[in-house]
Amino acid sequence: MKRAAVIGAGFGGLALAIRLQSAGIATTVFEGRDKPGGRAYVWEREGFTFDGGPTVITDPDCLRELWQLTGHDMAADVDLMPVNPFYRLNWPDGTTFDYGNDTAALHREIARLSPGDIPGYESFLEYAAAVYREGYVRLGAVPFLDFSAMVKAAPGLMRQQAWRSVYSMVSHYIEDERLREAFSFHTLLVGGNPMTTSAIYALIHKLEQDGGVWWARGGTNQLIAGMVRHFERLGGTLRLSEPVAKIHILGDRVTELETEAGAHERFDAVASNGDIVHTYRTLLGHTHRGRREAKRLMSKRWSPSLFVVHFGVTGTWPGIPHHTILFGPRYKDLLKDIFDYGVLPQDFSIYLHHPTVTDPSLAPPGHSTFYALIPVAHRGKLPLDWEQVGPLLEKRVLDEVGRRLIPDIHDRIVTKFHYTPRDFTIDLNAYQGSAFSLEPLLTQSAWFRAHNRDDSLKNLYLVGAGTHPGAGIPGVVGSAKATAGLMLEDLA
Ligand SMILES: Cc1cc2nc3c(=O)[nH]c(=O)nc-3n(C[C@H](O)[C@H](O)[C@H](O)COP(=O)(O)OP(=O)(O)OC[C@H]3O[C@@H](n4cnc5c(N)ncnc54)[C@H](O)[C@@H]3O)c2cc1C
């Protein structure tokens, strides 16, 4: 039986491990932390469950496929609950916009803000459907190993005006500035600036409209737990608290892994789900290939980081939906501050996560769980001392949530903590503390991202946000499909 190792138990690593194990490859996952999930880590504090990362689950079919490979049913391990509205968008003047996939309700919402924009929205939806077919269905799980694959994909992408930004495309169809923000902010969920991210990413709109937005009962951690249960049921091995220190090579092949504890183990193939710079600079830093590739990747544009305040409060809040975006007074200029100038602005836009409105099991009875997230520049652009700044920023974020939604928030808090760019570096080996790896620019997509198989080391593979198609659960699960295809072909 052939043996494979996967370094890292993020969504991408686990999806790849399930695919390999399902195909009869004895697969071991080495995870550095004490729990699986990566960005989808979880904390339990004083009866509250705090999911660390992804909260908006889209395209559940890409996850179901992982069970269907062996004739299993995901529903036996994970209970997915629909979330509606998908998001409530809220502007400082009190305007709100509820966004979901009930067409009549969505039209009513658009009409409330700008009746003349309904035909334009319909045209935008057609555009989103076309880029979804091209960018997600056709190319979403294709490994771009050589430039010719890129050349083949180029005409389709150019037909969809992929060189334009999502915001520019939305603005082509929609006049109202608030609606432009409502239909372009989604790229932020995968680390992209709506002003510069390729219009191909408008596909997220179609992905949500068709597949819905979901929540795993018990939290995203329960989706991860279900993936682990399924992987182990198939005979796979997950080794927690076992960080890999080195990938050993001989000639053009990987031979064995060395863990930080000093254990050596041989594998026929190795895939890294860890950060791509960490993989090359640290795990392969003793090789010429590692040093050269790390240097190349470090010179690219990296996605911003995030500052997340987790808090549990007394009381329940049926009026606050599961997902709320509290826009600040600025949109374009705020994005410039985060993506280009690398400053910490006075104002911010907040994504507020309120899981207990869907699933009260995440808090003690009569209590609620929240997180408030703001994008911040990565550590390369904004080298702050986060241990000092963190508590101050936490207060400002909570004050703003208090001002807009929960007036006596400070009196209600039972427990709270925050997660900074520094934590992304320490916990996840994330280069510059980036929350989403490489920025999803056209010039950093597909072949221009890190390849699913290394160009020189024949049995070394990559999976996860740094590879094609990029960050987000559907993205990294798609990358696992592309990487698994290559590995199974090579191991046959
Ligand atoms: C706060 C936040 C909110 C988000 N919200 C959403 C959302 O709502 N919807 C959505 O679709 N996406 C969302 N995303 C994006 C999504 O979570 C990520 O793109 C995705 O989870 C990344 O998965 P990955 O496979 O790249 O692995 P990661 O999650 O990056 O995991 C990599 C794993 O590798 C391990 N590792 C690294 N180095 C080593 C080593 N040397 N040895 C052993 N293990 C190692 C790490 O510990 C980690 O567990 C969010 C991200 C964040 C941070």
Side-chain angles (χ1 to χ4, degrees):
M1 203 174 180
K2 293 274 171 67
R3 300 183 70 226
V6 177
I7 303 168
F11 264 105
L14 288 174
L16 173 63
I18 290 171
R19 285 187 176 273
L20 296 175
Q21 192 68 41
S22 298
I25 307 291
T27 305
T28 302
V29 179
F30 291 82
E31 169 53 53
R33 300 174 86 182
D34 61 339
K35 292 177 204 160
R39 262 93 175 150
Y41 193 80
V42 65
W43 296 273
E44 308 276 350
R45 301 213 174 160
E46 300 186 43
F48 296 87
T49 302
F50 295 106
D51 275 310
T55 57
V56 181
I57 296 169
T58 50
D59 191 16
D61 284 349
C62 77
L63 295 163
R64 288 193 186 104
E65 214 178 291
L66 300 171
W67 275 260
Q68 286 159 358
L69 290 168
T70 45
H72 289 86
D73 183 0
M74 184 170 101
D77 290 308
V78 185
D79 182 10
L80 285 184
M81 308 161 76
V83 175
N84 238 317
F86 295 169
Y87 313 91
R88 171 164 299 161
L89 310 183
N90 178 290
W91 285 269
D93 66 359
T95 307
T96 60
F97 177 74
D98 279 3
Y99 162 75
N101 62 351
D102 172 335
T103 308
L106 188 55
H107 280 192
R108 274 197 304 276
E109 285 294 283
I110 296 172
R112 220 165 39 76
L113 265 56
S114 172
D117 271 326
I118 291 180
Y121 167 72
E122 283 301 309
S123 305
F124 170 66
L125 183 58
E126 275 173 35
Y127 172 77
V131 284
Y132 167 77
R133 282 192 297 275
E134 190 65 33
Y136 190 72
V137 179
R138 210 166 79 75
L139 302 175
V142 171
F144 283 85
L145 293 184
D146 50 48
F147 193 63
S148 65
M150 193 74 215
V151 171
K152 270 191 217 135
L157 296 175
M158 291 306 129
R159 251 195 317 278
Q160 309 302 342
Q161 305 183 48
W163 67 88
R164 291 180 70 169
S165 74
V166 171
Y167 182 84
S168 135
M169 218 59 207
V170 169
S171 303
H172 174 71
Y173 295 111
I174 293 171
E175 288 297 324
D176 185 88
E177 179 52 32
R178 292 160 305 180
L179 292 176
R180 286 178 174 177
E181 294 174 14
F183 292 111
S184 68
F185 81 89
H186 294 77
T187 59
L188 289 163
L189 303 178
V190 293
N193 179 350
M195 302 296 156
T196 52
T197 300
S198 164
I200 293 297
Y201 280 83
L203 69 84
I204 300 174
H205 182 64
K206 179 67 177 166
L207 197 73
E208 289 181 346
Q209 289 298 307
D210 283 7
V213 167
W214 299 83
W215 173 251
R217 191 183 296 279
T220 308
N221 65 90
Q222 287 304 306
L223 176 52
I224 291 291
M227 289 172 83
V228 169
R229 203 157 40 243
H230 180 52
F231 172 59
E232 292 183 334
R233 172 194 297 135
L234 297 171
T237 305
L238 169 63
R239 300 206 336 216
L240 296 173
S241 304
E242 283 216 45
V244 170
K246 227 177 209 185
I247 300 174
H248 288 278
I249 67 169
L250 186 64
D252 63 359
R253 293 189 72 81
V254 167
T255 51
E256 61 183 27
L257 293 185
E258 180 180 338
T259 65
E260 272 183 20
H264 287 249
E265 209 161 323
R266 296 183 80 80
F267 291 96
D268 299 298
V270 168
S272 178
N273 179 220
D275 175 273
I276 50 179
V277 167
H278 169 71
T279 299
Y280 284 105
R281 186 170 61 169
T282 306
L283 305 186
L284 284 161
H286 55 293
T287 68
H288 175 65
R289 170 68 187 149
R291 288 189 298 274
R292 203 186 49 183
E293 186 61 4
K295 197 169 161 206
R296 193 182 73 82
L297 293 169
M298 283 155 64
S299 70
K300 291 187 173 265
R301 274 186 68 101
W302 284 73
S303 287
S305 191
L306 300 170
F307 180 80
V308 190
V309 185
H310 296 270
F311 54 103
V313 294
T314 56
T316 53
W317 304 89
I320 303 180
H322 195 135
H323 307 290
T324 304
I325 309 286
L326 297 169
F327 285 114
R330 301 180 304 149
Y331 188 63
K332 291 180 201 171
D333 288 342
L334 179 65
L335 291 168
K336 272 194 197 138
D337 283 350
I338 297 165
F339 282 83
D340 299 330
Y341 305 145
V343 294
L344 190 61
Q346 281 301 313
D347 55 333
F348 32 72
S349 288
I350 299 174
Y351 158 57
L352 186 70
H353 179 227
H354 177 207
T356 36
V357 75
T358 306
D359 181 0
S361 76
L362 275 84
H367 291 70
S368 303
T369 298
F370 286 93
Y371 85 44
L373 169 161
I374 61 168
V376 291
H378 66 60
R379 298 179 82 195
K381 284 194 191 322
L382 183 64
L384 289 181
D385 177 351
W386 281 102
E387 282 187 299
Q388 274 205 343
V389 175
L392 304 174
L393 190 56
E394 176 189 284
K395 180 168 181 317
R396 282 178 53 206
V397 170
L398 290 174
D399 285 350
E400 183 65 5
V401 175
R403 209 178 57 75
R404 303 221 353 214
L405 291 175
I406 308 175
D408 48 356
I409 187 166
H410 291 287
D411 299 335
R412 289 180 170 276
I413 287 179
V414 177
T415 183
K416 66 179 163 71
F417 62 99
H418 56 258
Y419 201 80
T420 74
R422 180 173 177 268
D423 296 312
F424 280 97
T425 307
I426 294 172
D427 292 342
L428 292 154
N429 298 316
Y431 182 60
Q432 306 291 27
S434 166
F436 304 94
S437 192
L438 294 176
E439 218 182 305
L441 300 168
L442 189 60
T443 48
Q444 297 193 155
S445 295
W447 181 76
F448 298 109
R449 272 185 114 67
H451 296 170
N452 300 69
R453 181 175 57 211
D454 183 73
D455 292 349
S456 307
L457 300 167
K458 294 196 163 62
N459 57 345
L460 176 69
Y461 306 82
L462 300 178
V463 64
T467 63
H468 172 75
I473 298 172
V476 301
V477 168
S479 90
K481 191 171 183 177
T483 303
L486 292 170
M487 291 180 78
L488 293 177
E489 219 177 276
D490 294 350
L491 287 167

